[in-house]
């Protein structure tokens, strides 16, 4: 993969004024995926917006890691339910006169 698809964790943390340990903890809770490229930990660009949301929730609302884990689990569950509802609505429209 191209290197522009990843952001070094060190650069991300400097930009957001957070400790690298915060990203490590998010990774331990499986809230973000961090990969190693040429012996440097990197955050996929696809994970950046979620990581930024978690930083805001943690800093602005003082939500701890367990809380972040619960919130993002519930958000994922809600997203799946919304997708299922849309699918059911589409199926129902097929049978409506």
């Amino acid at each position: 993969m191209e290197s522009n698809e990843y952001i070094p964790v060190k650069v991300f943390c400097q930009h957001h004024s957070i400790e690298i340990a915060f990203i490590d903890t998010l990774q331990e809770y499986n809230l973000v995926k961090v990969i190693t490229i040429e012996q440097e930990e990197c955050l996929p660009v696809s994970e950046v917006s979620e990581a930024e949301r978690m930083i805001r929730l943690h800093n602005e609302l003082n939500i701890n890691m367990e809380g972040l884990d619960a919130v993002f689990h519930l958000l994922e569950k809600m997203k799946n339910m919304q997708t299922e509802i849309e699918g059911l609505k589409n199926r129902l429209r097929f049978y409506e006169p």
Side-chain angles (χ1 to χ4, degrees):
M1 298 221 159
E2 294 181 30
S3 61
N4 62 356
E5 296 177 9
Y6 301 97
I7 297 173
V9 170
K10 193 181 295 184
V11 172
F12 180 82
C13 291
Q14 287 173 347
H15 178 74
H16 291 285
S17 302
I18 60 170
E19 297 290 324
I20 293 174
F22 182 77
I23 298 297
D24 292 339
T25 306
L26 290 177
Q27 183 182 12
E28 289 173 15
Y29 279 87
N30 293 320
L31 294 172
V32 296
K33 293 179 183 102
V34 176
I35 63 165
T36 304
I37 299 175
E38 297 177 9
Q39 299 179 348
E40 184 173 31
E41 289 188 332
C42 296
L43 194 63
V45 171
S46 60
E47 298 280 323
V48 170
S49 63
E50 290 296 313
E52 289 173 336
R53 282 175 64 189
M54 289 179 228
I55 291 167
R56 283 193 308 274
L57 287 172
H58 178 72
N59 291 340
E60 294 173 10
L61 300 177
N62 293 323
I63 297 176
N64 63 13
M65 285 299 156
E66 291 81 9
L68 288 175
D69 187 31
V71 165
F72 280 90
H73 173 73
L74 291 173
L75 286 173
E76 185 65 30
K77 197 170 192 176
M78 194 169 82
K79 185 195 290 184
N80 291 338
M81 289 172 64
Q82 287 173 334
T83 302
E84 183 180 0
I85 288 170
E86 286 301 315
L88 291 171
K89 282 181 180 179
N90 291 336
R91 287 177 54 194
L92 185 59
R93 281 191 201 114
F94 177 77
Y95 294 107
E96 289 180 345

